[in-house]
Amino acid sequence: MGESFVFTSGKGGTGKSTAVSAIASCLAALGKRALCMDLDLRLPNLDLILGMSDLATLDISDVAAGRHTLEEAVVEHPKIKGLFLLAGPAMGAEKLTGDRLAAIVEQAKAKYDYCLIDGPAGLDDLFFLTSKHADSVVVVTTTDATSQRDAQRTVMELDELGITHIRLLVNRMRVRMVAHADINVDDIIDFVGVPILGIVPEDQDVIAAATRLRPLVLYSRRKAASAFLRVAKRIMGEEIPLKHK
């Protein structure tokens, strides 16, 4: 049985979807079967980030409605063996109930080593729905004060749901600001209040890869790509030291 992780954030613009695609790509590169599941139903874009929009002809709404099976809706990346996508709906979706979502996640865990769910940004019904049906929740934040506050609020809401397996991913870390002590990573961790999963530096290669509609690991092996690889290894249970660059 595989493991499921839902990635969420208190606000948009933290790089949550990029993190899901990059970490899943790294897990696949490490020999695991990794499924990206797009549950950001309002703004699904994992298919674009992974360069798979032409392949993803079915989506999660087809599975939820019973029109197609999970196996029929999931597509494998043409260049990264072991990387799979269950796309989000292009034009909205039928109401996704907790029972339907739980069933889809359990099916995915039976077939894949890791199921990485791109959840919604913001605190709404869909946030609560996705967070309750995963083994662990990863809250993605940047170093901006507003993003940190939103991450803290997200963690508080998760605590109220009784969810305890929560980790923090600090994305787009400005290395120069860390070097000049303008940002203290320990302060961010203490403020948000959950253990750290990884720190990913700000990297222009992320933007370049997204512009070219290519997974980051096919475009770069340094900076952010290297940081996401370390995160993937931690998810697999390896003890990997944190780095800020």
Side-chain angles (χ1 to χ4, degrees):
M1 181 67 71
E3 294 182 75
S4 59
F5 297 78
V6 60
F7 287 69
T8 188
S9 60
K11 61 180 294 184
T14 62
K16 170 177 57 66
S17 298
T18 297
V20 169
S21 63
I23 295 168
S25 298
C26 290
L27 288 168
L30 291 168
K32 302 299 181 180
R33 287 170 55 85
L35 172 66
C36 293
M37 184 183 297
D38 200 339
L39 279 177
D40 192 345
L41 302 185
R42 295 180 183 85
L43 297 170
N45 58 21
L46 272 180
D47 59 322
L48 288 173
I49 294 174
L50 291 169
M52 299 176 67
S53 56
D54 292 339
L55 299 175
T57 57
L58 301 175
D59 57 59
I60 191 169
S61 67
D62 294 303
V63 181
R67 292 188 293 268
H68 292 275
T69 65
L70 180 68
E71 293 81 359
E72 291 171 334
V74 168
V75 289
E76 186 172 12
H77 197 279
K79 294 184 179 179
I80 304 177
K81 181 178 174 57
L83 176 62
F84 301 86
L85 169 68
L86 177 58
M91 297 296 291
E94 294 102 330
K95 185 173 179 59
L96 189 61
T97 66
D99 289 342
R100 288 180 178 178
L101 178 57
I104 293 172
V105 173
E106 287 304 307
Q107 287 179 50
K109 288 169 58 177
K111 298 179 180 297
Y112 303 95
D113 298 309
Y114 296 97
C115 177
L116 273 57
I117 302 168
D118 186 7
L123 305 177
D124 57 13
D125 291 343
L126 186 57
F127 161 78
F128 295 116
L129 190 62
T130 55
S131 299
K132 288 190 294 186
H133 295 289
D135 297 318
S136 300
V137 178
V138 179
V139 177
V140 183
T141 185
T142 66
T143 56
D144 296 339
T146 55
S147 183
Q148 292 179 49
R149 177 177 290 179
D150 290 336
Q152 183 191 55
R153 174 66 188 281
T154 301
V155 170
M156 292 171 61
E157 295 288 346
L158 291 168
D159 284 338
E160 290 187 8
L161 288 174
I163 297 172
T164 57
H165 292 87
I166 311 170
R167 296 294 181 267
L168 179 68
L169 179 66
V170 180
N171 198 21
R172 294 164 50 193
M173 171 69 76
R174 299 185 182 98
V175 177
R176 184 173 298 179
M177 295 183 72
V178 173
H180 288 86
D182 295 317
I183 295 175
N184 187 303
V185 177
D186 291 334
D187 287 344
I188 297 175
I189 298 171
D190 291 341
F191 181 76
V192 177
V194 291
I196 189 77
L197 176 64
I199 301 169
V200 181
E202 192 170 51
D203 186 356
Q204 291 300 312
D205 284 346
V206 174
I207 299 174
T211 301
R212 291 164 173 79
L213 302 180
R214 297 180 63 189
L216 179 61
V217 297
L218 294 181
Y219 187 84
S220 173
R221 290 289 189 272
R222 62 194 191 98
K223 292 187 179 179
S226 178
F228 283 126
L229 179 62
R230 293 195 295 273
V231 170
K233 290 181 178 180
R234 291 189 196 103
I235 285 176
M236 291 171 57
E238 295 187 32
E239 294 186 4
I240 306 295
L242 289 172
K243 293 183 180 180
H244 298 165
K245 56 184 177 178

